Every structure is written in structure tokens, then in C-alpha cells.
């Protein structure tokens, strides 16, 4: 069969989504289309190319040799289309991960970016942790995120750009009847002997667990063993009620019923937050997001680490360099 004279980019987007998700339902959700429509687009692309692109079974979807061969070409075509539209002011929405609903840093930067570039569409996403979000960034399924850049594996950092945004003071979330809840601020020494939940076992947030290990080392504070990931506030509260463990958080962590958030002091541990994006990404909304991060950080003194603050040396080096 001769090669088609024209290919609809929509068909290539459908193909790339399935090739990356290896699942038609997840790919359809990612593209906000019905699964039937997605399947039709993939079948149409196969007919136009005269090649089978996927092996489909009831349990899995696997690219064929032709599918593997097409994937890098399809990605380049779609990136070129995005660059062209951006150049003429018709950019696609920028997908911005805010980690979790209620956290203040990313939300405030996003709100400012929307005011700086009202003609652009910046859409929030919630990926829970930077390690997971970084994989999505590199794969092109997400455009920007916030978090601890130094906590990422070097292989992931190599494909990403970052901009320091905030030294965010850390805190503990306590049951309201916990003995430490009566304190307005909790000295780190008061946590000696406590077992503190810091996301151990959560594959989305190992950078946060690593920060906790570094902070607790030599202080007699233990990181709680992995538990099944609690999804949603109700499950989170239920697990907390069951274990009674304090939870390592940041001062802006949203309040929950029957709990209190207490800042940590002596020293003040700092969570280093950067704006992170995929290297090579060109998008006017990303420019607005970076300008917004500078403005909000400057106005609030977010990058001025307190003299009594604690931060790992590797993180301090990352936060001192604007990349």
C-alpha cells in the first residue's frame, strides 16, 4: 500500500497515547476522548499506514515492530506541531502539577501565572510527588511540576530544567490529643523516640522520604514503615487515627478535622521547592509560570533561608543555582 499523502495529527496523538500508556482506557482518559473514538483513530492510522501498530489481547497492549518504529517519528511530528502553534500564539494548554490539593506554593505561582498570561490555558494536575511527576515530564505527559529537585535520580534530572522557588518551613501534623499538640512549635528534639510517617513505600514520593531520613538521622526519630497508600482525605485520616503517628509535612499543609499542624523548630527544617519542567520545552505559558515564580518568591521572601534553618548540603547547592 502506498504511503498516505497526509496524516491527521489527531491520529498520531492517539497512537502515541496508547504506545505510552499501553492501555486504551488510560490513553482515552489522558486525551479526554471516548475509548471507542480512540480505538477508531488507531485503526484508521493502521489502515492509512498499511501496518499493524499494536498487538491487542484481553490483558495487554503491546507495540509491534512497526509501532516501535513509528513512535519516535510520531513524537517529533507532534512536537513540531506544538512548536508551530506556539510560535503563532495558538499553544496547547500547559499541564502543571501542584502535587496535592491545598498545598500553597504551586497554587500561588499558578494563580499569578494565569494573571500574567490570561490568554493562555494553564491546567492544574495533582501527581502527589515529584519523582512520579518527573517521569511524566520526561515522557511529555506533563509540562511542569514543583518539588525537591535534588531528591531526583541523576538520570531524571538530566532531562529536566529547574528554577528554585522556596525554602518552605516543615511541620508535623498531629492528632489534636497528642501530647505534642499543646505546643505552638515542636522542637525536633521533642520528636525523639517518635515514629513519624514520611511516605515510606510510596513510589510517587521517595524524594520526600529521603529528606525525612536525612533530617531524622542522629536525632532518635524513626521513619514509619511503609503502609498501603491512603488515597483521599478520608482514608488518610483513618490511617492516621489507627497508627497515631505524627506526619511530616510543611507549614502550609491543609488542616484536617481532629488534627493540628505544628511548625518544627530548633533547627527549622526547610523543604526545598523548585519549579521543574522538561528541557527543550517551548511554551508561552511556561514563560509566564517562570516569571510568576520569580515574582511570588521575591514578594514573599521565599528564597531567604533563615539563619537557624536546616537543609541538606546537596539541596542547598541546587537552590543556590538558577538553571
Amino acid at each position: 500500500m502506498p504511503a498516505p499523502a497526509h496524516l491527521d495529527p489527531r491520529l498520531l496523538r492517539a497512537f502515541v497515547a496508547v504506545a505510552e500508556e499501553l492501555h486504551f482506557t488510560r490513553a482515552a482518559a489522558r486525551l479526554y476522548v471516548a475509548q471507542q473514538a480512540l480505538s477508531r483513530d488507531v485503526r484508521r492510522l493502521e489502515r492509512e499506514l498499511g501496518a499493524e501498530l499494536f498487538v491487542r489481547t484481553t490483558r495487554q497492549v503491546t507495540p509491534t515492530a512497526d509501532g516501535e518504529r513509528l513512535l519516535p517519528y510520531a513524537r517529533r511530528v507532534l512536537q513540531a506541531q506544538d512548536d508551530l502553534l506556539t510560535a503563532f500564539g495558538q499553544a496547547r494548554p500547559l499541564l502543571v502539577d501542584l502535587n496535592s490539593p491545598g498545598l500553597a506554593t504551586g497554587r500561588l505561582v499558578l494563580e499569578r501565572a494565569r494573571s500574567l498570561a490570561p490568554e493562555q490555558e494553564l491546567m492544574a494536575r495533582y501527581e502527589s510527588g515529584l519523582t512520579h511527576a518527573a517521569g511524566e515530564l520526561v515522557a511529555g505527559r506533563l509540562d511542569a511540576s514543583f518539588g525537591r529537585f535534588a531528591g531526583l535520580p541523576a538520570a531524571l534530572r538530566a532531562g529536566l530544567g529547574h528554577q528554585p522557588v522556596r525554602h518552605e518551613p516543615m511541620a508535623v501534623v498531629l492528632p489534636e490529643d497528642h501530647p505534642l499538640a499543646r505546643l505552638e512549635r515542636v522542637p525536633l528534639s521533642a520528636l525523639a523516640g517518635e515514629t513519624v510517617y514520611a511516605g515510606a513505600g510510596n513510589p510517587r514520593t521517595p524524594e520526600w522520604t529521603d529528606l525525612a531520613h536525612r533530617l531524622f538521622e542522629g536525632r532518635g526519630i524513626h521513619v514509619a514503615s511503609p503502609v498501603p497508600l491512603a488515597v483521599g482525605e478520608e482514608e488518610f485520616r483513618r490511617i492516621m487515627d489507627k497508627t497515631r503517628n505524627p506526619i511530616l509535612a510543611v507549614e502550609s499543609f491543609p488542616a484536617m478535622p481532629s488534627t493540628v499542624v505544628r511548625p518544627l523548630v530548633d533547627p527549622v527544617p526547610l523543604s526545598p521547592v523548585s519549579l521543574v519542567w522538561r528541557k527543550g520545552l517551548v511554551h508561552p505559558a511556561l514563560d509566564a509560570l517562570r516569571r510568576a515564580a520569580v515574582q511570588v518568591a521575591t514578594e514573599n521572601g521565599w528564597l531567604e533561608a533563615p539563619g537557624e534553618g536546616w537543609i541538606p548540603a546537596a539541596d542547598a547547592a541546587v537552590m543556590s543555582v538558577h538553571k
Side-chain angles (χ1 to χ4, degrees), residues 232-263:
E233 182 179 312
E234 183 176 340
E235 279 297 285
F236 192 81
R237 286 172 50 201
R238 184 182 67 80
I239 294 297
M240 186 177 183
D241 289 342
K242 184 176 182 179
T243 64
R244 306 287 297 166
N245 289 332
I247 298 169
L248 187 66
V250 292
E251 285 190 7
S252 65
F253 190 85
M256 297 185 298
S258 304
T259 68
V260 296
V261 179
R262 294 291 184 256

PDB file of all heavy atoms in Angstrom, residues 232-263:
ATOM      1  N   GLY A 232      -7.048   9.965  49.214  1.00  0.00           N
ATOM      2  CA  GLY A 232      -8.168  10.781  49.650  1.00  0.00           C
ATOM      3  C   GLY A 232      -8.073  11.120  51.130  1.00  0.00           C
ATOM      4  O   GLY A 232      -7.468  10.394  51.931  1.00  0.00           O
ATOM      5  N   GLU A 233      -8.663  12.267  51.504  1.00  0.00           N
ATOM      6  CA  GLU A 233      -8.569  12.753  52.880  1.00  0.00           C
ATOM      7  C   GLU A 233      -9.186  11.780  53.874  1.00  0.00           C
ATOM      8  O   GLU A 233      -8.636  11.559  54.965  1.00  0.00           O
ATOM      9  CB  GLU A 233      -9.264  14.115  52.989  1.00  0.00           C
ATOM     10  CG  GLU A 233      -9.174  14.713  54.382  1.00  0.00           C
ATOM     11  CD  GLU A 233      -9.827  16.076  54.490  1.00  0.00           C
ATOM     12  OE1 GLU A 233      -9.555  16.928  53.611  1.00  0.00           O
ATOM     13  OE2 GLU A 233     -10.618  16.269  55.419  1.00  0.00           O
ATOM     14  N   GLU A 234     -10.309  11.174  53.522  1.00  0.00           N
ATOM     15  CA  GLU A 234     -10.980  10.272  54.461  1.00  0.00           C
ATOM     16  C   GLU A 234     -10.090   9.080  54.811  1.00  0.00           C
ATOM     17  O   GLU A 234      -9.954   8.716  55.987  1.00  0.00           O
ATOM     18  CB  GLU A 234     -12.296   9.778  53.861  1.00  0.00           C
ATOM     19  CG  GLU A 234     -13.093   8.895  54.804  1.00  0.00           C
ATOM     20  CD  GLU A 234     -14.436   8.498  54.216  1.00  0.00           C
ATOM     21  OE1 GLU A 234     -14.904   9.183  53.286  1.00  0.00           O
ATOM     22  OE2 GLU A 234     -15.009   7.503  54.695  1.00  0.00           O
ATOM     23  N   GLU A 235      -9.454   8.468  53.795  1.00  0.00           N
ATOM     24  CA  GLU A 235      -8.573   7.336  54.055  1.00  0.00           C
ATOM     25  C   GLU A 235      -7.317   7.786  54.813  1.00  0.00           C
ATOM     26  O   GLU A 235      -6.824   7.071  55.688  1.00  0.00           O
ATOM     27  CB  GLU A 235      -8.175   6.658  52.740  1.00  0.00           C
ATOM     28  CG  GLU A 235      -9.227   5.714  52.197  1.00  0.00           C
ATOM     29  CD  GLU A 235      -9.468   4.547  53.138  1.00  0.00           C
ATOM     30  OE1 GLU A 235      -8.632   3.637  53.202  1.00  0.00           O
ATOM     31  OE2 GLU A 235     -10.506   4.556  53.837  1.00  0.00           O
ATOM     32  N   PHE A 236      -6.809   8.948  54.473  1.00  0.00           N
ATOM     33  CA  PHE A 236      -5.624   9.483  55.145  1.00  0.00           C
ATOM     34  C   PHE A 236      -5.904   9.650  56.635  1.00  0.00           C
ATOM     35  O   PHE A 236      -5.098   9.257  57.492  1.00  0.00           O
ATOM     36  CB  PHE A 236      -5.256  10.814  54.504  1.00  0.00           C
ATOM     37  CG  PHE A 236      -3.897  11.338  54.896  1.00  0.00           C
ATOM     38  CD1 PHE A 236      -2.755  10.862  54.281  1.00  0.00           C
ATOM     39  CD2 PHE A 236      -3.764  12.300  55.876  1.00  0.00           C
ATOM     40  CE1 PHE A 236      -1.500  11.338  54.628  1.00  0.00           C
ATOM     41  CE2 PHE A 236      -2.517  12.784  56.233  1.00  0.00           C
ATOM     42  CZ  PHE A 236      -1.379  12.313  55.603  1.00  0.00           C
ATOM     43  N   ARG A 237      -7.051  10.235  56.955  1.00  0.00           N
ATOM     44  CA  ARG A 237      -7.415  10.432  58.361  1.00  0.00           C
ATOM     45  C   ARG A 237      -7.640   9.103  59.059  1.00  0.00           C
ATOM     46  O   ARG A 237      -7.261   8.939  60.237  1.00  0.00           O
ATOM     47  CB  ARG A 237      -8.690  11.282  58.441  1.00  0.00           C
ATOM     48  CG  ARG A 237      -8.486  12.750  58.120  1.00  0.00           C
ATOM     49  CD  ARG A 237      -9.807  13.480  58.039  1.00  0.00           C
ATOM     50  NE  ARG A 237     -10.635  13.214  59.209  1.00  0.00           N
ATOM     51  CZ  ARG A 237     -11.961  13.380  59.233  1.00  0.00           C
ATOM     52  NH1 ARG A 237     -12.594  13.768  58.139  1.00  0.00           N
ATOM     53  NH2 ARG A 237     -12.635  13.146  60.337  1.00  0.00           N
ATOM     54  N   ARG A 238      -8.220   8.135  58.370  1.00  0.00           N
ATOM     55  CA  ARG A 238      -8.475   6.841  59.005  1.00  0.00           C
ATOM     56  C   ARG A 238      -7.169   6.152  59.389  1.00  0.00           C
ATOM     57  O   ARG A 238      -7.035   5.625  60.499  1.00  0.00           O
ATOM     58  CB  ARG A 238      -9.287   5.950  58.058  1.00  0.00           C
ATOM     59  CG  ARG A 238      -9.702   4.606  58.672  1.00  0.00           C
ATOM     60  CD  ARG A 238     -10.450   3.760  57.657  1.00  0.00           C
ATOM     61  NE  ARG A 238      -9.589   3.328  56.556  1.00  0.00           N
ATOM     62  CZ  ARG A 238      -8.751   2.297  56.644  1.00  0.00           C
ATOM     63  NH1 ARG A 238      -8.635   1.611  57.762  1.00  0.00           N
ATOM     64  NH2 ARG A 238      -8.008   1.964  55.602  1.00  0.00           N
ATOM     65  N   ILE A 239      -6.196   6.178  58.481  1.00  0.00           N
ATOM     66  CA  ILE A 239      -4.902   5.574  58.775  1.00  0.00           C
ATOM     67  C   ILE A 239      -4.204   6.318  59.910  1.00  0.00           C
ATOM     68  O   ILE A 239      -3.588   5.706  60.799  1.00  0.00           O
ATOM     69  CB  ILE A 239      -4.012   5.557  57.515  1.00  0.00           C
ATOM     70  CG1 ILE A 239      -4.617   4.622  56.452  1.00  0.00           C
ATOM     71  CG2 ILE A 239      -2.600   5.141  57.851  1.00  0.00           C
ATOM     72  CD1 ILE A 239      -4.686   3.166  56.870  1.00  0.00           C
ATOM     73  N   MET A 240      -4.326   7.634  59.913  1.00  0.00           N
ATOM     74  CA  MET A 240      -3.705   8.418  60.974  1.00  0.00           C
ATOM     75  C   MET A 240      -4.331   8.086  62.331  1.00  0.00           C
ATOM     76  O   MET A 240      -3.639   7.943  63.343  1.00  0.00           O
ATOM     77  CB  MET A 240      -3.848   9.914  60.672  1.00  0.00           C
ATOM     78  CG  MET A 240      -3.092  10.797  61.655  1.00  0.00           C
ATOM     79  SD  MET A 240      -3.206  12.549  61.225  1.00  0.00           S
ATOM     80  CE  MET A 240      -2.155  13.251  62.508  1.00  0.00           C
ATOM     81  N   ASP A 241      -5.654   7.959  62.366  1.00  0.00           N
ATOM     82  CA  ASP A 241      -6.333   7.598  63.616  1.00  0.00           C
ATOM     83  C   ASP A 241      -5.901   6.224  64.107  1.00  0.00           C
ATOM     84  O   ASP A 241      -5.812   5.973  65.307  1.00  0.00           O
ATOM     85  CB  ASP A 241      -7.857   7.615  63.407  1.00  0.00           C
ATOM     86  CG  ASP A 241      -8.415   9.020  63.240  1.00  0.00           C
ATOM     87  OD1 ASP A 241      -7.710   9.979  63.612  1.00  0.00           O
ATOM     88  OD2 ASP A 241      -9.535   9.148  62.725  1.00  0.00           O
ATOM     89  N   LYS A 242      -5.612   5.342  63.160  1.00  0.00           N
ATOM     90  CA  LYS A 242      -5.246   3.971  63.510  1.00  0.00           C
ATOM     91  C   LYS A 242      -3.817   3.886  64.032  1.00  0.00           C
ATOM     92  O   LYS A 242      -3.543   3.209  65.025  1.00  0.00           O
ATOM     93  CB  LYS A 242      -5.415   3.070  62.286  1.00  0.00           C
ATOM     94  CG  LYS A 242      -5.156   1.596  62.536  1.00  0.00           C
ATOM     95  CD  LYS A 242      -5.446   0.790  61.277  1.00  0.00           C
ATOM     96  CE  LYS A 242      -5.229  -0.699  61.515  1.00  0.00           C
ATOM     97  NZ  LYS A 242      -5.530  -1.487  60.285  1.00  0.00           N
ATOM     98  N   THR A 243      -2.882   4.589  63.374  1.00  0.00           N
ATOM     99  CA  THR A 243      -1.473   4.478  63.750  1.00  0.00           C
ATOM    100  C   THR A 243      -1.073   5.465  64.838  1.00  0.00           C
ATOM    101  O   THR A 243      -0.151   5.202  65.611  1.00  0.00           O
ATOM    102  CB  THR A 243      -0.571   4.713  62.529  1.00  0.00           C
ATOM    103  OG1 THR A 243      -0.739   6.061  62.062  1.00  0.00           O
ATOM    104  CG2 THR A 243      -0.927   3.739  61.404  1.00  0.00           C
ATOM    105  N   ARG A 244      -1.742   6.625  64.878  1.00  0.00           N
ATOM    106  CA  ARG A 244      -1.428   7.698  65.821  1.00  0.00           C
ATOM    107  C   ARG A 244      -0.045   8.298  65.581  1.00  0.00           C
ATOM    108  O   ARG A 244       0.498   9.002  66.429  1.00  0.00           O
ATOM    109  CB  ARG A 244      -1.522   7.195  67.267  1.00  0.00           C
ATOM    110  CG  ARG A 244      -2.835   6.536  67.640  1.00  0.00           C
ATOM    111  CD  ARG A 244      -3.947   7.541  67.772  1.00  0.00           C
ATOM    112  NE  ARG A 244      -3.656   8.481  68.859  1.00  0.00           N
ATOM    113  CZ  ARG A 244      -4.313   9.621  69.034  1.00  0.00           C
ATOM    114  NH1 ARG A 244      -5.276   9.978  68.195  1.00  0.00           N
ATOM    115  NH2 ARG A 244      -4.024  10.416  70.033  1.00  0.00           N
ATOM    116  N   ASN A 245       0.555   8.037  64.437  1.00  0.00           N
ATOM    117  CA  ASN A 245       1.885   8.569  64.141  1.00  0.00           C
ATOM    118  C   ASN A 245       1.798  10.026  63.717  1.00  0.00           C
ATOM    119  O   ASN A 245       0.920  10.394  62.927  1.00  0.00           O
ATOM    120  CB  ASN A 245       2.544   7.774  63.019  1.00  0.00           C
ATOM    121  CG  ASN A 245       2.964   6.384  63.442  1.00  0.00           C
ATOM    122  OD1 ASN A 245       3.253   6.147  64.604  1.00  0.00           O
ATOM    123  ND2 ASN A 245       2.998   5.468  62.494  1.00  0.00           N
ATOM    124  N   PRO A 246       2.707  10.873  64.184  1.00  0.00           N
ATOM    125  CA  PRO A 246       2.830  12.213  63.596  1.00  0.00           C
ATOM    126  C   PRO A 246       3.175  12.066  62.109  1.00  0.00           C
ATOM    127  O   PRO A 246       3.751  11.067  61.678  1.00  0.00           O
ATOM    128  CB  PRO A 246       3.990  12.846  64.374  1.00  0.00           C
ATOM    129  CG  PRO A 246       4.094  12.049  65.633  1.00  0.00           C
ATOM    130  CD  PRO A 246       3.678  10.651  65.277  1.00  0.00           C
ATOM    131  N   ILE A 247       2.862  13.089  61.324  1.00  0.00           N
ATOM    132  CA  ILE A 247       3.116  13.077  59.887  1.00  0.00           C
ATOM    133  C   ILE A 247       4.010  14.257  59.551  1.00  0.00           C
ATOM    134  O   ILE A 247       3.719  15.399  59.923  1.00  0.00           O
ATOM    135  CB  ILE A 247       1.793  13.179  59.098  1.00  0.00           C
ATOM    136  CG1 ILE A 247       0.897  11.966  59.395  1.00  0.00           C
ATOM    137  CG2 ILE A 247       2.055  13.284  57.598  1.00  0.00           C
ATOM    138  CD1 ILE A 247      -0.509  12.113  58.864  1.00  0.00           C
ATOM    139  N   LEU A 248       5.099  13.980  58.850  1.00  0.00           N
ATOM    140  CA  LEU A 248       5.979  15.060  58.405  1.00  0.00           C
ATOM    141  C   LEU A 248       5.311  15.797  57.250  1.00  0.00           C
ATOM    142  O   LEU A 248       4.857  15.173  56.283  1.00  0.00           O
ATOM    143  CB  LEU A 248       7.331  14.497  57.972  1.00  0.00           C
ATOM    144  CG  LEU A 248       8.411  15.531  57.645  1.00  0.00           C
ATOM    145  CD1 LEU A 248       8.812  16.304  58.900  1.00  0.00           C
ATOM    146  CD2 LEU A 248       9.634  14.849  57.031  1.00  0.00           C
ATOM    147  N   ALA A 249       5.266  17.126  57.348  1.00  0.00           N
ATOM    148  CA  ALA A 249       4.558  17.929  56.340  1.00  0.00           C
ATOM    149  C   ALA A 249       5.267  19.277  56.213  1.00  0.00           C
ATOM    150  O   ALA A 249       6.399  19.451  56.675  1.00  0.00           O
ATOM    151  CB  ALA A 249       3.098  18.107  56.756  1.00  0.00           C
ATOM    152  N   VAL A 250       4.607  20.230  55.577  1.00  0.00           N
ATOM    153  CA  VAL A 250       5.074  21.611  55.510  1.00  0.00           C
ATOM    154  C   VAL A 250       4.060  22.491  56.218  1.00  0.00           C
ATOM    155  O   VAL A 250       2.918  22.085  56.461  1.00  0.00           O
ATOM    156  CB  VAL A 250       5.274  22.073  54.046  1.00  0.00           C
ATOM    157  CG1 VAL A 250       6.441  21.330  53.403  1.00  0.00           C
ATOM    158  CG2 VAL A 250       4.005  21.876  53.233  1.00  0.00           C
ATOM    159  N   GLU A 251       4.491  23.700  56.559  1.00  0.00           N
ATOM    160  CA  GLU A 251       3.610  24.573  57.348  1.00  0.00           C
ATOM    161  C   GLU A 251       2.297  24.875  56.647  1.00  0.00           C
ATOM    162  O   GLU A 251       1.275  25.111  57.300  1.00  0.00           O
ATOM    163  CB  GLU A 251       4.336  25.875  57.689  1.00  0.00           C
ATOM    164  CG  GLU A 251       5.383  25.713  58.780  1.00  0.00           C
ATOM    165  CD  GLU A 251       5.900  27.059  59.258  1.00  0.00           C
ATOM    166  OE1 GLU A 251       5.355  28.106  58.830  1.00  0.00           O
ATOM    167  OE2 GLU A 251       6.843  27.069  60.053  1.00  0.00           O
ATOM    168  N   SER A 252       2.295  24.884  55.319  1.00  0.00           N
ATOM    169  CA  SER A 252       1.065  25.206  54.588  1.00  0.00           C
ATOM    170  C   SER A 252       0.177  23.992  54.371  1.00  0.00           C
ATOM    171  O   SER A 252      -0.825  24.086  53.653  1.00  0.00           O
ATOM    172  CB  SER A 252       1.413  25.829  53.229  1.00  0.00           C
ATOM    173  OG  SER A 252       2.094  24.887  52.402  1.00  0.00           O
ATOM    174  N   PHE A 253       0.514  22.857  54.973  1.00  0.00           N
ATOM    175  CA  PHE A 253      -0.298  21.654  54.804  1.00  0.00           C
ATOM    176  C   PHE A 253      -1.731  21.959  55.242  1.00  0.00           C
ATOM    177  O   PHE A 253      -1.954  22.514  56.311  1.00  0.00           O
ATOM    178  CB  PHE A 253       0.272  20.515  55.650  1.00  0.00           C
ATOM    179  CG  PHE A 253      -0.346  19.167  55.382  1.00  0.00           C
ATOM    180  CD1 PHE A 253       0.112  18.369  54.351  1.00  0.00           C
ATOM    181  CD2 PHE A 253      -1.406  18.704  56.150  1.00  0.00           C
ATOM    182  CE1 PHE A 253      -0.452  17.125  54.092  1.00  0.00           C
ATOM    183  CE2 PHE A 253      -1.979  17.459  55.906  1.00  0.00           C
ATOM    184  CZ  PHE A 253      -1.508  16.671  54.869  1.00  0.00           C
ATOM    185  N   PRO A 254      -2.738  21.615  54.416  1.00  0.00           N
ATOM    186  CA  PRO A 254      -4.123  21.969  54.753  1.00  0.00           C
ATOM    187  C   PRO A 254      -4.600  21.251  56.007  1.00  0.00           C
ATOM    188  O   PRO A 254      -4.322  20.058  56.213  1.00  0.00           O
ATOM    189  CB  PRO A 254      -4.913  21.513  53.518  1.00  0.00           C
ATOM    190  CG  PRO A 254      -4.040  20.520  52.843  1.00  0.00           C
ATOM    191  CD  PRO A 254      -2.632  20.930  53.128  1.00  0.00           C
ATOM    192  N   ALA A 255      -5.301  21.977  56.853  1.00  0.00           N
ATOM    193  CA  ALA A 255      -5.808  21.420  58.102  1.00  0.00           C
ATOM    194  C   ALA A 255      -6.866  20.354  57.832  1.00  0.00           C
ATOM    195  O   ALA A 255      -7.622  20.435  56.866  1.00  0.00           O
ATOM    196  CB  ALA A 255      -6.394  22.530  58.961  1.00  0.00           C
ATOM    197  N   MET A 256      -6.890  19.333  58.686  1.00  0.00           N
ATOM    198  CA  MET A 256      -7.898  18.289  58.612  1.00  0.00           C
ATOM    199  C   MET A 256      -8.600  18.219  59.962  1.00  0.00           C
ATOM    200  O   MET A 256      -8.017  18.570  60.991  1.00  0.00           O
ATOM    201  CB  MET A 256      -7.256  16.932  58.295  1.00  0.00           C
ATOM    202  CG  MET A 256      -6.574  16.855  56.953  1.00  0.00           C
ATOM    203  SD  MET A 256      -5.970  15.174  56.600  1.00  0.00           S
ATOM    204  CE  MET A 256      -4.787  14.964  57.929  1.00  0.00           C
ATOM    205  N   PRO A 257      -9.871  17.772  60.001  1.00  0.00           N
ATOM    206  CA  PRO A 257     -10.576  17.643  61.280  1.00  0.00           C
ATOM    207  C   PRO A 257      -9.806  16.775  62.266  1.00  0.00           C
ATOM    208  O   PRO A 257      -9.158  15.798  61.877  1.00  0.00           O
ATOM    209  CB  PRO A 257     -11.897  16.986  60.881  1.00  0.00           C
ATOM    210  CG  PRO A 257     -12.095  17.342  59.445  1.00  0.00           C
ATOM    211  CD  PRO A 257     -10.711  17.389  58.863  1.00  0.00           C
ATOM    212  N   SER A 258      -9.837  17.162  63.532  1.00  0.00           N
ATOM    213  CA  SER A 258      -9.235  16.401  64.636  1.00  0.00           C
ATOM    214  C   SER A 258      -7.722  16.340  64.572  1.00  0.00           C
ATOM    215  O   SER A 258      -7.097  15.479  65.198  1.00  0.00           O
ATOM    216  CB  SER A 258      -9.811  14.972  64.699  1.00  0.00           C
ATOM    217  OG  SER A 258     -11.225  15.003  64.814  1.00  0.00           O
ATOM    218  N   THR A 259      -7.085  17.241  63.797  1.00  0.00           N
ATOM    219  CA  THR A 259      -5.627  17.300  63.740  1.00  0.00           C
ATOM    220  C   THR A 259      -5.170  18.742  63.892  1.00  0.00           C
ATOM    221  O   THR A 259      -5.948  19.688  63.719  1.00  0.00           O
ATOM    222  CB  THR A 259      -5.078  16.746  62.416  1.00  0.00           C
ATOM    223  OG1 THR A 259      -5.444  17.626  61.345  1.00  0.00           O
ATOM    224  CG2 THR A 259      -5.603  15.343  62.141  1.00  0.00           C
ATOM    225  N   VAL A 260      -3.883  18.904  64.221  1.00  0.00           N
ATOM    226  CA  VAL A 260      -3.268  20.232  64.265  1.00  0.00           C
ATOM    227  C   VAL A 260      -1.955  20.167  63.490  1.00  0.00           C
ATOM    228  O   VAL A 260      -1.325  19.107  63.396  1.00  0.00           O
ATOM    229  CB  VAL A 260      -3.007  20.697  65.715  1.00  0.00           C
ATOM    230  CG1 VAL A 260      -4.313  20.854  66.480  1.00  0.00           C
ATOM    231  CG2 VAL A 260      -2.081  19.725  66.440  1.00  0.00           C
ATOM    232  N   VAL A 261      -1.559  21.296  62.922  1.00  0.00           N
ATOM    233  CA  VAL A 261      -0.285  21.407  62.222  1.00  0.00           C
ATOM    234  C   VAL A 261       0.626  22.288  63.078  1.00  0.00           C
ATOM    235  O   VAL A 261       0.275  23.415  63.413  1.00  0.00           O
ATOM    236  CB  VAL A 261      -0.461  22.024  60.824  1.00  0.00           C
ATOM    237  CG1 VAL A 261       0.896  22.154  60.125  1.00  0.00           C
ATOM    238  CG2 VAL A 261      -1.417  21.180  59.990  1.00  0.00           C
ATOM    239  N   ARG A 262       1.796  21.755  63.438  1.00  0.00           N
ATOM    240  CA  ARG A 262       2.723  22.483  64.296  1.00  0.00           C
ATOM    241  C   ARG A 262       4.076  22.648  63.600  1.00  0.00           C
ATOM    242  O   ARG A 262       4.681  21.658  63.167  1.00  0.00           O
ATOM    243  CB  ARG A 262       2.922  21.736  65.623  1.00  0.00           C
ATOM    244  CG  ARG A 262       1.666  21.672  66.488  1.00  0.00           C
ATOM    245  CD  ARG A 262       1.315  23.054  67.023  1.00  0.00           C
ATOM    246  NE  ARG A 262       0.169  23.024  67.937  1.00  0.00           N
ATOM    247  CZ  ARG A 262      -1.058  23.420  67.605  1.00  0.00           C
ATOM    248  NH1 ARG A 262      -1.287  23.856  66.355  1.00  0.00           N
ATOM    249  NH2 ARG A 262      -2.027  23.384  68.491  1.00  0.00           N
ATOM    250  N   PRO A 263       4.581  23.895  63.503  1.00  0.00           N
ATOM    251  CA  PRO A 263       5.893  24.112  62.888  1.00  0.00           C
ATOM    252  C   PRO A 263       6.996  23.412  63.679  1.00  0.00           C
ATOM    253  O   PRO A 263       6.915  23.304  64.917  1.00  0.00           O
ATOM    254  CB  PRO A 263       6.058  25.636  62.950  1.00  0.00           C
ATOM    255  CG  PRO A 263       4.680  26.174  63.146  1.00  0.00           C
ATOM    256  CD  PRO A 263       3.931  25.145  63.917  1.00  0.00           C
TER     257      PRO A 263
END
